[in-house]
Amino acid sequence: MNAPLRRFALFPVLLLLSACAAMGVGSDPAQTSAPRSGGGSYDLVIEGGRIVDGTGAAWFHGDVAVRGDRIVRVAPPGMLRNVAARDRIDATGLVVAPGFIDIQGQSRSAVLRGDGRLVSKVTQGVTTEILGEGSTDAPVNERILEAGGVRDSAAVARLRRFEGPRGFDAWLRAIEEHGVSTNVGSFVGASTIRTFGRGLAMGAASQSEMEAMQEAVRDAMRDGAFGLASALIYPPGNFAGTEELTLLARAMAPYGGLYITHMRSEADRLLEAIDEAIEIGRRGGVPVEIYHLKAAGRRNWGKAAAAIARIDSARAAGLDVQADMYPYVAGGTGLTACFPPWVSADGRLLQNLRDQNVRARIREEIRANDGSWENLCELATPEGVLLLGFEREGNRGLVGRRLAEVATMMGSDWIDTAMDLVLSEEQRIGTIFFMMDEDNVRLQLQQPWIKFGTDASGVDPDAADGLVHPRAYGTFTRILGRYVRDEGVLPLEDAVRKMSSAVATRLRIRDRGLLTEGFFADIVVFDPETVSDRATYEDPHQLSTGILHVLVNGVPVVRDGSHTGATPGRALRGPGWTGRR
């Protein structure tokens, strides 16, 4: 056996005893009769590949046949050579795997109103994107419209499609009708639910507000949400307390929902935030998933091992706690994450930044750094804050500069510079924060309960304007190239499992996530010797290499490394979905 094959063959067999049972119930309205085998002609045969089936079991050589939207044969190599097929792919020397499931996608705008091809996603092997961190386009009511400042009549009309008890269902259907290259499912955003019940106000919800929020969660679960997703460092999400989130978790528990969270802290109070997430799950009676697990800020890097131990301890005690991550040392969000949360309360962000007395209070609280909120600028340091998302023509020259550099250019300190920039742009300003440690990235990749998400939207490099985080282009290929092939941090079979069946099992997505007969034909074919990310922080709009073919529901969306333009994606539903109500 040659060296590359030997590296990929070392992982012990981890056979799933019952793949279908592990996938659970619900998820896809197209889950009618699934053929388990088939003879005769096929739509596509993938021949001679090294099959990594998503279970974690060792790879094996074989052929895969597709008919319609399903995998109908997984056969020993050569057995399908003389069978009639409309199309064939020679996968000799290539890996054939189940399509990758992005558990933390951010393509909300693209899949509803923009370019549904999601070019940067499918070219790194993504066949399903899961939305919902904090915010979703549904449900909608008057408080949602008011909080968003929506005035344009056409925009209001578009959003009102998602009003009422079936608003979440209407949103998923609208995504499918728009046309998208990947399958799409979603959690319901906890910030959206908070706004639905209480607007942008701080403080605890009243009983009537809480009841409205709980009923909105139940409606979303019946419409197919996978659970409740919170983002607790951003307003209004961080206005919600532990008790409020626990009550919302209880509302979704009867529908098989998952509580997934961007925790209240990933830095100075990381361990306390993990404790809160576990407590919400325990008291709410639901499993817990932690978004993009990390120990942020140099002074907190040593907490990564303790965070892992916290999760392992909870699991040993019988609590279902898991996590996901992206393989980068920098995160990305808005520059407004450097301001105290109250600054954005009641939609008064810009008014507060214009008031010199309020600015003095903001400056004082930032400098005091009492640990009551997560200041990403302070954690990254101004030298580690990369500014990206400028929209005004006069500010375009600042794209790709560090906050410390811009502060020097403006003759001001970084705090006033950040406030002035947000005022000038009148928007949050997309920003990258360098806060994590490479050794911790490697440590987390090896955990059995970890999964992967891009935390990014799909982007077309030919139409891209400005910079984005490179994870939009390279999350999955970076893992396969750098951490599997080049560094041997984790075996190929385990990486593919964490990219596919681990997510499908976690979300109870039926008939997806495995390369096995009867499952939907979401398939990726890649070259294990060349697969790699090319996107960088300075030059992110570069497609990955080595991903040669991608099928979604049996339809090629990538062929010979190029997007075909096809949009065969479907809306996927959680276990509470029972069809039209």
Side-chain angles (χ1 to χ4, degrees):
M1 183 179 292
N2 63 37
L5 293 187
R6 186 161 52 247
R7 284 200 302 271
F8 292 136
L10 294 177
F11 190 67
V13 174
L14 180 60
L15 183 62
L16 297 183
L17 297 179
S18 175
C20 294
M23 294 306 158
V25 297
S27 86
D28 191 340
Q31 326 177 123
T32 53
S33 55
R36 294 297 161 184
S37 63
S41 63
Y42 303 110
D43 292 321
L44 173 67
V45 171
I46 303 171
E47 296 181 281
R50 188 188 311 167
I51 295 176
V52 180
D53 64 8
T55 65
W59 66 265
F60 57 92
H61 285 121
D63 298 342
V64 178
V66 174
R67 183 184 296 130
D69 60 4
R70 300 274 182 163
I71 299 167
V72 292
R73 288 290 305 277
V74 178
M79 283 197 68
L80 303 181
R81 185 170 301 149
N82 298 319
V83 177
R86 294 174 55 194
D87 196 6
R88 290 180 180 270
I89 291 174
D90 180 2
T92 303
L94 307 178
V95 170
V96 184
F100 307 148
I101 304 175
D102 182 356
I103 198 172
Q104 192 186 11
Q106 302 286 6
S107 301
R108 279 173 54 201
S109 177
V111 300
L112 189 61
R113 294 177 295 275
D115 183 358
R117 295 178 303 149
L118 305 184
V119 176
S120 69
K121 291 291 186 76
V122 296
T123 52
Q124 56 176 300
V126 173
T127 59
T128 294
E129 176 162 350
I130 307 299
L131 307 174
E133 184 204 2
S135 300
T136 41
D137 289 70
V140 169
N141 65 359
E142 293 301 327
R143 281 180 166 154
I144 295 283
L145 295 173
E146 181 181 353
V150 182
R151 298 289 183 267
D152 178 76
S153 58
V156 170
R158 285 194 300 269
L159 287 172
R160 286 198 183 279
R161 294 179 296 167
F162 312 138
E163 285 185 306
R166 295 193 54 218
F168 199 87
D169 172 67
W171 175 49
L172 292 178
R173 293 184 186 279
I175 290 172
E176 197 171 64
E177 291 166 4
H178 176 71
V180 59
S181 290
T182 69
N183 302 305
V184 177
S186 186
F187 294 88
V188 63
S191 295
T192 298
I193 294 296
R194 167 87 184 186
T195 307
F196 185 95
R198 189 167 166 76
L200 298 179
M202 298 180 72
S206 67
Q207 182 175 341
S208 62
E209 290 169 340
M210 193 69 241
E211 289 173 352
M213 292 158 63
Q214 288 178 303
E215 188 57 30
V217 167
R218 294 186 192 100
D219 284 335
M221 294 303 297
R222 290 189 285 259
D223 278 351
F226 289 110
L228 180 74
S230 66
L232 301 181
I233 73 165
Y234 309 115
N238 54 6
F239 300 159
T242 304
E243 180 64 22
E244 178 178 310
L245 294 166
T246 298
L247 292 174
L248 295 179
R250 288 177 184 168
M252 71 170 171
Y255 304 95
L258 171 71
Y259 175 64
I260 188 167
T261 179
H262 179 156
M263 298 184 299
R264 213 173 291 275
S265 174
E266 298 175 323
D268 295 342
R269 297 182 62 80
L270 169 63
L271 302 181
E272 293 87 343
I274 293 175
D275 289 342
E276 182 193 30
I278 293 171
E279 180 70 2
I280 291 168
R282 184 186 66 79
R283 291 172 53 198
V286 296
V288 173
E289 179 82 15
I290 297 170
Y291 275 133
H292 46 52
L293 183 67
K294 63 175 72 77
R298 181 177 292 272
R299 63 177 177 265
N300 296 304
W301 288 355
K303 295 178 181 178
I308 291 169
R310 236 9 172 254
I311 295 171
D312 284 339
S313 178
R315 293 185 59 78
L319 299 174
D320 185 358
V321 183
Q322 301 183 31
D324 50 76
M325 64 179 291
Y326 45 74
Y328 295 89
V329 296
T333 186
L335 186 61
T336 50
C338 300
F339 306 148
W342 60 262
V343 177
S344 298
D346 301 312
R348 295 183 56 81
L349 171 66
L350 298 180
Q351 295 94 313
N352 285 333
L353 294 182
R354 293 187 183 104
D355 187 313
Q356 291 303 314
N357 291 326
V358 176
R359 283 174 67 114
R361 179 186 168 192
I362 294 170
R363 194 178 301 110
E364 181 180 347
E365 289 194 16
I366 290 174
R367 288 174 174 160
N369 188 28
D370 64 1
S372 62
W373 57 285
E374 198 105 306
N375 184 342
L376 300 191
C377 281
E378 191 271 335
L379 287 165
T381 74
E383 291 76 17
V385 177
L386 182 65
L387 302 168
L388 307 180
F390 293 101
E391 297 176 358
R392 294 187 182 277
E393 189 61 37
N395 293 333
R396 290 298 181 93
L398 303 178
V399 172
R401 296 183 183 272
R402 304 292 177 122
L403 180 59
E405 179 186 4
V406 176
T408 299
M409 292 169 56
M410 296 177 68
S412 181
D413 67 8
W414 74 261
I415 300 175
D416 277 318
T417 298
M419 290 192 283
D420 289 340
L421 290 174
V422 171
L423 265 181
S424 173
E425 284 285 310
E426 295 187 347
Q427 51 102 5
R428 63 199 290 269
I429 305 179
T431 303
I432 288 177
F433 299 88
F434 291 86
M435 301 180 293
M436 285 80 80
D437 174 53
E438 182 63 42
D439 287 341
N440 287 341
V441 170
R442 296 187 181 95
L443 176 64
Q444 290 181 190
L445 285 168
Q446 296 174 323
Q447 302 312 306
W449 34 257
I450 208 73
K451 293 163 293 297
F452 307 125
T454 64
D455 195 9
S457 178
V459 184
D460 176 9
D462 293 332
D465 182 24
L467 301 182
V468 298
H469 196 298
R471 63 195 180 193
Y473 286 86
T475 294
F476 291 89
T477 47
R478 182 178 180 83
I479 293 168
L480 293 171
R482 176 174 182 173
Y483 295 107
V484 172
R485 180 190 60 235
D486 297 342
E487 298 185 10
V489 174
L490 71 169
L492 174 66
E493 292 88 344
D494 192 36
V496 170
R497 179 187 66 81
K498 290 170 176 174
M499 295 174 177
S500 55
S501 71
V503 185
T505 301
R506 189 63 169 155
L507 303 186
R508 300 180 180 177
I509 300 175
R510 189 173 171 183
D511 291 356
R512 298 185 192 271
L514 292 176
L515 199 67
T516 191
E517 292 176 2
F519 273 45
F520 286 99
D522 297 341
I523 302 173
V524 57
V525 181
F526 64 90
D527 185 341
E529 297 303 319
T530 64
V531 65
S532 184
D533 64 310
R534 299 171 60 235
T536 65
Y537 296 104
E538 297 77 16
D539 188 11
H541 298 294
Q542 302 186 79
L543 296 178
S544 294
T545 60
I547 302 293
L548 302 180
H549 310 283
V550 180
L551 276 69
V552 175
N553 298 312
V555 177
V557 296
V558 173
R559 194 69 190 259
D560 297 320
S562 298
H563 202 298
T564 66
T567 54
R570 298 174 183 169
L572 305 187
R573 313 294 180 123
W577 163 256
T578 56
R580 290 183 178 270
R581 294 191 286 119

